[in-house]
């Protein structure tokens, strides 16, 4: 299985001084997701939790609604120059009776690690209707709990400590208990891995939960939260205008610039209890 980190020689410059030393880098490799042996998407990801990533991707893209919709997942093809399996091709078999992905779901077979939405055929293809809408979720969270989440997220990022090059997504309950955390070079992949964990744990829809992400809140992350039935999405950085629009439309509470006791509440603010 692919490594999460690798070592490379570098010259480290600190002012007038320089030294030669090895540096730890996060691994970035392509993962091709196939459904029924047909290519669906290629995403640049950090190896690890690939089955979770594929399950989360399929759910947040509207291909499946639960883990029961997947019959099997197996690595196939994909060999390197030495004839060894690269574990970079994952084939998903859907349960009998589950329709294959619609053409609009395809990401032109490629997405980048920086922006999963860039490969979408059109914006309309992203606006998927979720069967797990967070709109009716009555979950509330106190501002004091929200204030602790960025530090708890950062403290749990084990690979980030050695590379400084990974995004993180974590699922917390409304009391601030960490349920799952995943790291990846792509923020959308980290979210898919967390959603994939929830699928495996039969936690879809993710009622009573908070999705905390280490970067900005993009349109796609808001979409993924809504598709998984997550009622609250919190981000360390800014949301995009489309993320706010989608959150408002789907009943998702969106929190941005969450840094300690400071935060901006953008949509469905009734879920955040103050005082």
């Amino acid at each position: 299985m692919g490594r999460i980190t690798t070592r490379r020689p570098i010259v480290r410059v600190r002012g007038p001084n320089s030294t030669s030393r090895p540096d730890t880098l996060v691994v970035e490799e392509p993962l091709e997701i196939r459904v029924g042996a047909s290519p669906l998407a290629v995403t640049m990801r950090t190896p690890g939790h690939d089955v979770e990533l594929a399950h989360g991707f399929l759910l947040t893209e509207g291909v499946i609604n639960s883990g029961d919709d997947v019959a099997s997942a197996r690595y196939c093809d994909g060999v390197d120059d030495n004839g060894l399996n690269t574990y970079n091709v994952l084939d998903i078999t859907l349960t009998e009776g589950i329709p294959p992905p619609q053409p609009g779901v395809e990401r032109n077979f490629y997405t980048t690690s920086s922006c999963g939405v860039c490969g979408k055929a059109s914006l309309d293809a992203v606006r998927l209707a979720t069967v797990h809408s967070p709109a009716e979720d009555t979950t509330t969270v106190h501002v004091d709990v929200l204030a602790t989440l960025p530090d708890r997220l950062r403290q749990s990022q084990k690979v980030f400590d050695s590379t400084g090059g990974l995004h993180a997504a974590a699922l917390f309950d409304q009391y601030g208990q960490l349920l799952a955390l995943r790291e990846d070079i792509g923020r959308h992949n980290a979210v898919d891995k967390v959603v994939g964990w929830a699928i495996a744990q039969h936690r879809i829809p993710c009622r009573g939960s908070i999705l905390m992400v280490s970067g900005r809140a993009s349109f796609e992350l808001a979409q993924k939260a809504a598709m998984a039935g997550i009622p609250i999405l919190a981000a360390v950085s800014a949301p995009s205008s489309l993320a706010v629009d989608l959150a408002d439309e789907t009943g998702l509470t969106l929190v941005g610039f969450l840094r300690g006791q400071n935060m901006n509440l953008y949509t469905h603010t009734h879920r955040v209890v103050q005082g």
Side-chain angles (χ1 to χ4, degrees):
M1 196 71 69
R3 294 189 301 272
I4 296 176
T5 62
T6 187
R7 303 279 278 177
R8 293 288 189 274
I10 66 166
V11 175
R12 183 177 184 180
V13 178
R14 295 294 182 268
N17 303 314
S18 64
T19 56
S20 297
R21 49 164 292 178
D23 191 36
T24 301
L25 305 177
V26 61
V27 170
E28 181 179 28
E29 293 181 356
L31 175 68
E32 179 180 315
I33 300 174
R34 299 179 181 178
V35 175
S38 297
L40 178 65
V42 175
T43 185
M44 301 303 295
R45 96 310 189 188
T46 301
H49 303 289
D50 289 337
V51 174
E52 289 182 351
L53 191 162
H55 279 64
F57 171 79
L58 293 177
L59 184 136
T60 59
E61 296 295 335
V63 178
I64 65 173
N65 292 323
S66 72
D68 293 336
D69 294 343
V70 175
S72 65
R74 66 181 184 87
Y75 290 101
C76 58
D77 295 342
V79 296
D80 61 18
D81 294 339
N82 298 317
L84 299 175
N85 197 324
T86 61
Y87 295 98
N88 285 339
V89 182
L90 189 65
D91 190 21
I92 304 295
T93 301
L94 300 179
T95 303
E96 186 176 355
I98 302 301
Q102 296 296 315
V105 175
E106 295 177 5
R107 297 185 177 198
N108 297 329
F109 305 148
Y110 182 76
T111 63
T112 70
S113 59
S114 61
C115 178
V117 76
C118 298
K120 289 289 187 183
S122 69
L123 187 61
D124 289 341
V126 184
R127 292 185 177 274
L128 300 170
T130 175
V131 299
H132 305 302
S133 173
E136 303 304 319
D137 193 318
T138 59
T139 298
T140 60
V141 60
H142 198 278
V143 288
D144 290 343
V145 172
L146 282 176
T148 67
L149 300 189
D151 285 343
R152 297 196 62 194
L153 182 78
R154 177 66 185 84
Q155 291 165 4
S156 300
Q157 284 187 259
K158 297 179 181 179
V159 183
F160 181 89
D161 286 337
S162 58
T163 65
L166 284 177
H167 292 286
L171 205 60
F172 293 90
D173 68 17
Q174 66 192 97
Y175 306 107
Q177 178 182 349
L178 177 63
L179 302 175
L181 181 143
R182 296 292 182 264
E183 294 178 278
D184 197 277
I185 199 165
R187 59 172 57 85
H188 59 286
N189 290 335
V191 172
D192 279 341
K193 289 178 179 182
V194 166
V195 172
W197 171 88
I199 292 171
Q201 299 297 316
H202 305 287
R203 286 178 172 264
I204 298 295
C206 295
R207 304 298 187 213
S209 65
I210 305 162
L211 177 63
M212 179 76 212
V213 295
S214 60
R216 67 182 185 273
S218 65
F219 176 91
E220 190 179 30
L221 298 196
Q223 175 213 345
K224 290 179 181 298
M227 292 295 287
I230 298 169
I232 303 170
L233 169 61
V236 172
S237 192
S240 69
S241 62
L242 278 179
V244 174
D245 290 346
L246 185 66
D248 186 51
E249 188 178 300
T250 58
L252 174 69
T253 296
L254 182 56
V255 182
F257 293 106
L258 177 55
R259 299 165 188 178
Q261 294 289 335
N262 300 322
M263 64 195 77
N264 291 349
L265 310 180
Y266 291 90
T267 59
H268 301 281
T269 61
H270 63 278
R271 288 198 180 98
V272 180
V273 179
Q274 304 178 58

